[in-house]
Amino acid sequence: MSQTTAVLKVNEQEVPVFIHTERRTNARVSIGKKGITIRLPFFLTPNQRQEQIAAFKDWAYKTYVAKPDLINRGKPKKYIDGHTFKLMGEVFTLNLEEVPLNTFTARLYNNVVLVRLPKESNTAERDKAIPQLISRVVAKKYYTPLYHKLLYLNKLYFGKTVNDFKLKYTNSLWGSCSRQGNINISTRLLFAPEEVIDYVMVHELAHLVHPNHSDAFWNEVERCLPNYMEQERWLKKHGRECDF
């Protein structure tokens, strides 16, 4: 496997392009937080390779133009003292304080998230730590009511055994369910309407019946929530906005 990098210019902004040549049977392209990823098979001739890269870059350019918000996906959020955000209908305020410590800490007091930042920490370290710290303290606040909601939905629709429940920060998944009955829900869903949270919970609980995404699984979800596609559409449209 080999990797090269290039740049795609879109509206005066430079987007990184990561080109991987590897053992595979097809070529594919995707747009992620860090830029554009192109994966090519070894067997392409130099001309085929350049044509495929050009086609993928053209597709990416048109996608960025059609969806301008995509180009900002990878940019870290700027955290400032006094920033407010809304979760579960409640407004929270972020309070940042530099302290002579070696570790990041946070606590919640009257809907104020107090985050202490080591004076010697850099911007990258802060950008990584702050969303996880916010997630951790609000997860403690909402864990019990959401756990009770999960148990209620399980009793209402499924009657299965839920072995464990976790409310934690995840980037890629809204939720997950193991064969052992362990269910995880992302704290990012706290930004979503209650009916969207209900849908994700029902989705994961349905995996206790069908541990896959077969037609039978989706029929089970629809049995519980006939309008579940409305919640799917909400997540596709607003999901990127749901983050700390």
Side-chain angles (χ1 to χ4, degrees), residues 101-229:
L101 299 174
N102 295 322
T103 58
F104 293 88
T105 63
R107 64 188 179 92
L108 183 64
Y109 179 75
N110 289 340
N111 282 19
V112 175
V113 182
L114 307 168
V115 178
R116 291 187 170 183
L117 311 169
K119 284 186 176 181
E120 302 302 319
S121 59
N122 58 42
T123 301
E125 292 170 334
R126 294 183 180 193
D127 288 344
K128 180 179 180 180
I130 291 174
Q132 296 177 358
L133 289 167
I134 299 173
S135 169
R136 194 176 306 160
V137 296
V138 297
K140 291 180 181 178
K141 176 182 175 69
Y142 290 113
Y143 177 87
T144 298
L146 288 182
Y147 184 36
H148 288 165
K149 175 189 282 285
L150 181 76
L151 295 178
Y152 167 76
L153 291 171
N154 180 46
K155 182 178 180 180
L156 181 64
Y157 295 122
F158 303 101
K160 297 295 183 178
T161 299
V162 175
N163 182 54
D164 190 25
F165 170 66
K166 286 186 172 62
L167 182 62
K168 61 182 184 179
Y169 185 77
T170 57
N171 280 315
S172 58
L173 297 175
W174 296 114
S176 62
C177 176
S178 72
R179 291 181 179 272
Q180 292 72 38
N182 301 324
I183 292 179
N184 299 321
I185 296 294
S186 175
T187 51
R188 293 172 57 222
L189 277 172
L190 297 173
F191 289 93
E194 188 171 356
E195 56 269 24
V196 174
I197 299 175
D198 289 355
Y199 160 64
V200 174
M201 287 186 169
V202 166
H203 181 115
E204 300 310 331
L205 287 166
H207 282 307
L208 297 175
V209 182
H210 300 286
N212 49 49
H213 286 105
S214 62
D215 289 344
F217 166 82
W218 289 112
N219 290 338
E220 187 71 16
V221 173
E222 188 173 21
R223 176 185 69 82
C224 305
L225 300 175
N227 65 337
Y228 80 91
M229 282 302 298

Side-chain angles (χ1 to χ4, degrees), residues 13-32:
Q13 296 192 58
E14 293 186 344
V15 181
V17 181
F18 305 99
I19 304 168
H20 301 267
T21 304
E22 54 196 17
R23 192 181 302 277
R24 57 184 303 116
T25 58
N26 60 356
R28 65 185 297 268
V29 60
S30 61
I31 293 176

Side-chain angles (χ1 to χ4, degrees), residues 66-92:
K67 300 178 180 179
D69 61 308
L70 283 179
I71 207 164
N72 295 315
R73 283 175 62 185
K75 294 183 178 180
K77 184 179 291 188
K78 299 299 181 183
Y79 300 96
I80 59 174
D81 187 54
H83 169 71
T84 60
F85 54 96
K86 194 172 184 179
L87 304 174
M88 302 287 286
E90 296 185 84
V91 176
F92 294 80

